[in-house]
Amino acid sequence: MGAKNAIVVSAAADPAEILRAGLVAEPDSARRAAERRLPGRVGQRLADLPLADAVNPRDAVYAGAFDGLEIVCAWEVVNGRGTDYPDGCPWVGPYRWTYLHVMQSAVDVVEFGVWDRGKLQRWVAASIEHGTAQEGEPLAFERPYWAGEYDVDHSAAPFHPMRLGEAALGALFGFVQEGAPDVDPRFDPFEVTLAGFALT
């Protein structure tokens, strides 16, 4: 799989139900959302991108601020934050729920998390080389993975991390990148547009 992403979302309700409306980011509010995550780092405007491409930004940040949801895609937002999330969420935004999703196909690593008003509900990290770490109770979509239904011989995890990552992307946000047999996307990520900005 070649999927990569770095996504942080703050939402008042189910992100997929909001994103599936075919939204187009307004640049000024998108800039404010990006500045919230990367203060002093958001530079000149870049060309907008569909969500499908914006999730893997290169030396840039892509963002959207919509009614009930903020989304920011930038590797700089997620890099170097550590994993001590039970003591607090570093990505709390203007809405009740905070979501994190990171995938790196080059090293077969996935990480995702869910917080309610800054309190950790679920966090998972999985690596094909180093196995898994987790906090909180598994979400419904995860259970077949932990039960061994997708076991693979060459992974230190009880499943291939990228397959779980696609399942998490579909369950949390309603879309996928490369897809998985057990994931039914709820909208086309090419129909949502995020505003782009250079990083300084």
Side-chain angles (χ1 to χ4, degrees):
M1 290 184 175
K4 299 180 182 179
N5 65 49
I7 309 167
V8 173
V9 167
S10 174
D14 180 2
E17 288 301 309
I18 300 172
L19 289 169
R20 70 187 300 176
L23 304 171
V24 177
E26 189 279 318
D28 290 341
S29 59
R31 179 182 289 275
R32 289 192 292 272
E35 286 278 8
R36 191 192 313 276
R37 306 299 182 186
L38 295 165
R41 297 285 315 281
V42 182
Q44 67 183 16
R45 282 276 281 131
L46 300 176
D48 296 345
L49 284 180
L51 176 61
D53 297 325
V55 295
N56 182 24
R58 294 169 177 83
D59 301 319
V61 55
Y62 290 87
F66 310 109
D67 186 17
L69 181 142
E70 278 190 0
I71 180 169
V72 176
C73 304
W75 288 103
E76 285 74 7
V77 171
V78 301
N79 287 342
R81 294 297 183 124
T83 56
D84 194 18
Y85 301 145
D87 290 335
C89 175
W91 302 288
V92 172
Y95 301 109
R96 172 177 175 175
W97 296 97
T98 304
Y99 300 86
L100 166 73
H101 192 282
V102 181
M103 285 200 299
Q104 268 279 20
S105 59
V107 288
D108 288 325
V109 169
V110 64
E111 179 184 0
F112 62 88
V114 181
W115 291 261
D116 181 359
R117 296 188 175 95
K119 183 177 180 181
L120 182 68
Q121 303 299 303
R122 181 61 170 157
W123 171 77
V124 174
S127 162
I128 203 165
E129 181 178 358
H130 300 293
T132 63
Q134 56 178 310
E135 295 281 349
E137 292 297 316
L139 302 175
F141 75 87
E142 299 176 53
R143 291 172 187 149
Y145 291 84
W146 299 109
E149 293 184 22
Y150 302 113
D151 189 28
V152 290
D153 293 336
H154 59 284
S155 175
F159 42 75
H160 196 291
M162 299 303 290
R163 183 165 182 172
L164 176 66
E166 291 282 354
L169 195 61
L172 299 179
F173 301 139
F175 71 97
V176 295
Q177 288 188 265
E178 295 200 336
D182 53 326
V183 180
D184 184 17
R186 293 157 68 184
F187 71 94
D188 183 349
F190 283 97
E191 296 179 355
V192 175
T193 301
L194 300 188
F197 304 91
L199 290 175
T200 61

